[in-house]
Structures are given as structure tokens and as C-alpha cells.
Amino acid sequence: SSADLSKTDLSNANLRDANLTGADLSGANLSEVNLMDTNLSNANLRGANLIRADLSGADLTDVCLSEADLRGANLVHADLRGADLRGADLRKSNLLGANLRGANLVHANLSDANLSKASLKGADLSNANLSGKDLRGANLSEANLKDAGLSNANLSNANLSGANLSKANLSEANL
């Protein structure tokens, strides 16, 4: 059975390279935790506090991060394929080169986050806040951006083929 660490305070802990596959970390305090290269696939992090956590290179495939607080988190080259990020707060997070293929980011707050060179192919970003977002070179092919806020976003060299941009706010966006 998987570890039950729900509502545990692990702030500032070093969990680098740990195997937390399927762990229940819902509501846990993981602020400023080192989770570099950690395996968190299929883990439950619903509502967890991950403020300024280092998740670079982490395996977050099929993880539940809905309503999680990821403000200022480092997610460089993290694998978030199929992740549930509904309503997550990702303001000022760094997702450079992250793999978010098929991820659910409905109502996620991504303002001022770095999504440069990220793969968002087939991701659901409907109603997501992407204002001021750095999306240079991002793969947004087949992504659902319906009603997404993209004002002042930098979309230069982004792949938008087959993307749904109906009712998206593209005011002052750099295309």
C-alpha cells in the first residue's frame, strides 16, 4: 500500500530522488521541499502547499494537484503528463521545458509563470489564466484554450495547430 502522508508538515525537507509513487500527500505542507527527480506518479497532492518547492525533473505523471498551491515552484523539465491541475495556483512557477501533454489545467492560475518550451499538446487550459505568460516555442497543438486569458502573453514561435482558441482573450498578446 502507498504511504499516507496527508496533512503532514514536510516543509523544507530533502526528498530528492525519493519514490513516492501513489502516496497520499493531500493537504500536506511541502513548501520549499526538495523534490528534485522524485517519483510522485499517481500521487494525491490535492490542496497541498508546494510554495517554492523544487520539483525539477520530477515524475508527476497522472498526479492529482487540483487546488494545490504551487506559487514560485520550480518545475523545470518535470513530467506532468496527464496531471490533474484543476484550479491549481501556479503563479510565478517555472515550467521551462515541462511536459504537460494531456494535463488538465482548467481554471488554473498560470499568470507570470514560465512555460517557455513546455509541451502542452492536448492539454485542457479552458478558463486558465495565462496572462503575461512566456509561451515562446511552447507546443500548444490540439490544446483547449477556450475562454483562456492570454492577454500580454508571448506566443512567438508557439505551435497552435489544431488548438481551440474560441473566446480566448488575446489582447496585446505577441503572436
Side-chain angles (χ1 to χ4, degrees):
S1 77
S2 304
D4 183 355
L5 298 166
S6 56
K7 298 184 178 147
T8 305
D9 185 353
L10 296 164
S11 55
N12 296 299
N14 184 356
L15 299 170
R16 185 176 182 154
D17 292 315
N19 184 352
L20 294 166
T21 304
D24 184 357
L25 290 152
S26 57
N29 181 358
L30 298 160
S31 61
E32 300 187 23
V33 169
N34 181 352
L35 291 160
M36 284 177 68
D37 302 316
T38 297
N39 186 345
L40 286 155
S41 58
N42 295 298
N44 180 3
L45 290 146
R46 181 182 182 87
N49 174 356
L50 289 147
I51 295 173
R52 291 183 303 279
D54 189 348
L55 293 145
S56 54
D59 181 350
L60 296 157
T61 51
D62 298 315
V63 72
C64 176
L65 281 160
S66 61
E67 306 298 330
D69 191 341
L70 290 144
R71 286 176 293 164
N74 180 0
L75 292 148
V76 172
H77 297 295
D79 188 349
L80 289 142
R81 286 174 296 162
D84 180 357
L85 290 147
R86 285 174 297 173
D89 189 345
L90 289 145
R91 285 176 289 173
K92 297 190 177 183
S93 60
N94 189 353
L95 291 141
L96 173 76
N99 187 347
L100 289 142
R101 285 178 181 245
N104 186 340
L105 291 138
V106 174
H107 291 291
N109 188 344
L110 290 150
S111 63
D112 297 319
N114 179 5
L115 282 164
S116 179
K117 297 180 182 167
S119 176
L120 290 145
K121 182 175 182 173
D124 191 345
L125 292 146
S126 53
N127 293 296
N129 181 352
L130 295 156
S131 60
K133 178 97 5 272
D134 182 354
L135 291 158
R136 289 173 297 174
N139 182 354
L140 289 156
S141 60
E142 301 167 34
N144 182 3
L145 292 154
K146 185 176 186 254
D147 294 310
L150 289 157
S151 60
N152 297 304
N154 187 347
L155 292 155
S156 61
N157 297 315
N159 181 353
L160 292 162
S161 62
N164 178 0
L165 289 157
S166 64
K167 298 183 181 175
N169 179 355
L170 292 158
S171 65
E172 298 184 43
N174 179 4
L175 299 167

